[in-house]
Amino acid sequence: MVKVLIVDDSAFMRNALSSMLSSDPEIKIVGTARDGMEALEKIALLKPDIVTMDVEMPRMDGLTALKHIMEKNPVPVIMVSSLTSDGAEATLHALELGAVDFIPKNLSDLSVNIVKIKEMLIDKIKQIGKRDRQRLLFRRKPLPKDEQPKYVVPIRTGDRRIGIVAIGTSTGGPGALQQIIPLLPKDFPTPILIAQHMPANFTKAFADRLNQLSRITVKEAEEGESLKPGVALVAPGRGHMRIRRAGGIDAKVTISEFKDDFIYRPSVDALATSVSELFPGRALGVILTGMGNDGLKGFAAIKKTGGKIYAQDEGSCIVYGMPKAVIEAGLADKVLSLDEMAGEITNSV
């Protein structure tokens, strides 16, 4: 049984979330709170397994409460608020402070949106709430770009057969990427493509944040953009990112806003499949923390052409879904912790 505390200044939202989550027999609502101060008191008293937290509240807002929670009584927190939908900076700040994930809500279309997020939220609550708390709450802040990593990045070896790196991730991905991308060397020799499940108005802010922390260049991908060594392109949340040939051997980005047959947007499968077609035998696919199995088909295509696949291990995942699917399908050449991933990626290109 996963014990949940709901924190929101809106009585309607507290009731809606309580009703939504308590519909699952494996979830128990142990309490609600109207602001951050009340949340701190109830966390200490009720000892929930997970907390859903609004951002904008009176007396003590969600970000301030989150700081206190992580300092005094750490517990997994999922941000659920209108501000996380429109305020990407606030959401990214919450993730950096220790929140494990977020659920955006749209107050202008709340009744419809609540129905849409119900299944996703229940799944996240159950998967995150059952994880080992000490592993889940372990956070290592990314190094400033002018500092050297605390471990030695392996020296590059081999014939540099890899010509591109494709990364797919979902729940827990922002934190995982911040422990990988900033550690890559500034002379990284191949393009990097990233598909992170994230709302449309979040991906640019996230890419900009990664760019500030990293030695390589990180930006949100644009239609028709050319692939360049040492440049990581983040798929925009508004559509699926693929690559295509554009005369000669030049590869360019294409963005499709059609949902197609993919459950998630941006789709890891869509990205990885296109990478397998343009870089047969020369692609490195990296699958990180996330729910579901997005990426399984695309990474199977990369593997079939002779490419390599690295998967994040269960112990360092927020949610061990996407990597598990790839590993259980026998596609992973290496299963790595986050501490190992940047060095192994660097050593492979």
Side-chain angles (χ1 to χ4, degrees), residues 283-332:
L284 170 61
V286 179
I287 191 78
L288 303 176
T289 174
M291 291 195 306
N293 64 0
D294 185 25
L296 178 59
K297 293 180 180 179
F299 280 70
I302 288 177
K303 183 75 171 181
K304 186 176 181 180
T305 68
K308 292 182 179 179
I309 306 296
Y310 293 170
Q312 185 178 348
D313 68 353
E314 182 177 6
S316 63
C317 283
I318 295 294
V319 175
Y320 184 56
M322 289 162 60
K324 180 181 180 181
V326 168
I327 292 168
E328 290 188 345
L331 301 176

Side-chain angles (χ1 to χ4, degrees), residues 29-86:
I29 307 302
V30 295
T32 62
R34 294 167 292 183
D35 56 49
M37 292 181 67
E38 189 176 354
L40 296 179
E41 296 172 359
K42 292 197 173 182
I43 288 172
L45 178 66
L46 301 173
K47 295 180 171 49
D49 297 311
I50 192 165
V51 174
T52 68
M53 177 79 71
D54 190 10
V55 174
E56 198 168 42
M57 296 180 291
R59 292 209 302 170
M60 181 184 288
D61 63 53
L63 294 179
T64 303
L66 185 60
K67 292 179 185 178
H68 288 294
I69 291 169
M70 293 303 148
E71 290 172 1
K72 299 177 180 179
N73 200 354
V75 61
V77 176
I78 294 180
M79 307 306 291
V80 186
S81 84
S82 58
L83 194 55
T84 60
S85 181
D86 297 324

Side-chain angles (χ1 to χ4, degrees), residues 1 18 24 60 80 86 114 155 158 163 173 194 229 260 282 288 302 319 349:
M1 183 70 70
S18 294
D24 190 287
M60 181 184 288
V80 186
D86 297 324
I114 284 294
I155 298 173
I194 300 170
D260 299 324
R282 299 182 57 236
L288 303 176
I302 288 177
V319 175
V349 297

Side-chain angles (χ1 to χ4, degrees), residues 75-139:
V75 61
V77 176
I78 294 180
M79 307 306 291
V80 186
S81 84
S82 58
L83 194 55
T84 60
S85 181
D86 297 324
E89 292 291 343
T91 301
L92 295 175
H93 189 197
L95 294 172
E96 290 176 359
L97 290 174
V100 295
D101 199 25
F102 64 93
I103 294 286
K105 70 183 181 185
N106 184 352
L107 290 178
S108 66
D109 191 20
L110 191 57
S111 60
V112 174
N113 201 51
I114 284 294
V115 173
K116 288 181 179 179
I117 71 172
K118 177 179 178 178
E119 183 177 346
M120 178 172 56
L121 181 55
I122 286 176
D123 198 10
K124 286 188 178 184
I125 289 288
K126 289 164 66 175
Q127 293 201 42
I128 294 172
K130 292 177 181 178
R131 295 284 288 153
D132 180 86
R133 185 177 297 190
Q134 294 305 313
R135 289 180 183 271
L136 195 63
L137 294 174
F138 176 74
R139 285 289 186 274

Side-chain angles (χ1 to χ4, degrees), residues 9 43 79 85 159 198 203 216 261 264 271 275 285 318 335:
D9 65 328
I43 288 172
M79 307 306 291
S85 181
D159 57 4
M198 196 174 260
T203 43
I216 65 171
D261 294 326
Y264 301 101
L271 172 62
V275 167
I318 295 294
V335 178

